[in-house]
């Protein structure tokens, strides 16, 4: 591969570049899964998995469509909001298969206004089929969990705080709005 200055990438640089592109592709897949779950965006969620993937998560063992339905019902019944946050990410790839370990932290505002936090790891096998890298096998390992004290949402009582859009669990969420604009009045809080 030729660089913009006319020089060629070394074999080592080319291998590193390919590894970086693959890592980013797999991580983007993980992000589609987490955002799809938090925003109840079924299409986005399912785009992270091959349709015949097998997922093991707590009491659940099944395919991606079944997981989405089960988890959505679980989160709708129990929480007002959820955040699946991705942390450490390791990749071991060979050919059309890659194994990953992704640390996660799950945080939720429960319907009773308590806050739940849990952490664990997604142990995944990705496969490339027809040029598409997606999860084909997942083991969800939950390693810890607990409740946090409840507090009011900071600045939730400001009359114009939601003028730019609301945090929603569907495609009306502010993150889907295009173009993103500011509707709030200029204001600098005084001490």
């Amino acid at each position: 591969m030729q660089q913009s200055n006319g020089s060629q990438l070394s074999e080592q640089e080319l291998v590193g570049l390919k590894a970086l592109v693959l890592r980013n592709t797999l991580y983007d897949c993980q992000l589609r899964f987490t955002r799809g779950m938090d925003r109840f965006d079924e299409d986005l969620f399912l785009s992270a998995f091959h349709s015949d993937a097998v997922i093991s998560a707590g009491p659940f063992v099944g395919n991606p469509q079944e997981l989405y339905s089960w988890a959505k019902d679980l989160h709708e019944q129990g929480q007002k909001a959820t955040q699946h946050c991705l942390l450490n990410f390791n990749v071991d790839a060979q050919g059309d298969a890659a194994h990953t370990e992704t640390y996660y932290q799950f945080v939720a505002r429960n319907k009773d206004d308590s806050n739940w936090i849990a952490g664990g790891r997604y142990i995944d096998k990705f496969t490339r089929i027809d040029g598409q890298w997606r999860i084909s096998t997942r083991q969800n390992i939950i390693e810890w969990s607990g409740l946090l004290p409840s507090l009011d949402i900071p600045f939730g009582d400001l009359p114009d705080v939601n003028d730019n859009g609301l945090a929603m669990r569907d495609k009306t969420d502010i993150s889907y709005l295009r173009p993103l604009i500011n509707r709030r009045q200029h204001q600098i809080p005084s001490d």
Side-chain angles (χ1 to χ4, degrees):
M1 175 181 264
Q2 192 167 352
Q3 295 179 349
S4 61
N5 65 4
S7 65
Q8 296 288 322
L9 288 176
S10 71
E11 185 65 30
Q12 184 179 6
E13 290 171 323
L14 192 55
V15 168
L17 184 58
K18 287 179 180 179
L20 184 61
V21 168
L22 176 59
R23 178 183 174 83
N24 191 62
T25 298
L26 301 179
Y27 193 71
D28 280 351
C29 190
Q30 298 285 26
L31 293 173
R32 292 194 311 269
F33 155 74
T34 58
R35 184 168 189 241
M37 189 76 269
D38 291 335
R39 299 283 64 85
F40 292 159
D41 185 333
E42 183 175 7
D43 293 334
L44 188 61
F45 177 94
L46 293 175
S47 75
F49 299 92
H50 290 296
S51 61
D52 62 349
V54 177
I55 302 118
S56 171
F60 176 89
V61 179
N63 68 44
Q65 183 63 62
E66 293 166 329
L67 175 63
Y68 178 80
S69 297
W70 175 77
K72 182 179 185 274
D73 289 348
L74 187 71
H75 289 314
E76 273 185 321
Q77 291 173 18
Q79 286 88 39
K80 295 178 181 181
T82 60
Q83 291 183 350
H84 293 76
C85 305
L86 302 178
L87 305 167
N88 300 0
F89 183 63
N90 297 300
V91 176
D92 177 16
Q94 292 192 355
D96 289 335
H99 289 80
T100 64
E101 175 190 47
T102 310
Y103 286 56
Y104 70 84
Q105 196 170 78
F106 168 78
V107 184
R109 182 73 162 194
N110 295 321
K111 293 267 176 126
D112 66 2
D113 284 330
S114 64
N115 297 297
W116 177 24
I117 186 168
R121 293 174 293 144
Y122 300 124
I123 309 298
D124 293 318
K125 178 183 178 186
F126 283 80
T127 53
R128 180 171 46 193
I129 299 173
D130 296 329
Q132 296 292 312
W133 284 98
R134 295 186 181 184
I135 299 166
S136 57
T137 307
R138 165 166 284 179
Q139 302 293 321
N140 179 358
I141 310 300
I142 304 168
E143 297 185 295
W144 57 270
S145 179
L147 291 175
L148 298 173
S150 295
L151 301 170
D152 290 334
I153 302 296
F155 309 114
D157 59 345
L158 294 176
D160 71 338
V161 76
N162 294 317
D163 285 358
N164 289 330
L166 297 170
M168 302 295 289
R169 296 171 88 183
D170 58 29
K171 291 184 181 180
T172 64
D173 182 75
I174 186 173
S175 66
Y176 288 89
L177 298 178
R178 300 290 184 270
L180 181 64
I181 59 172
N182 179 56
R183 293 184 178 95
R184 296 181 69 202
Q185 294 297 313
H186 183 250
Q187 54 191 334
I188 308 296
S190 59
D191 293 337

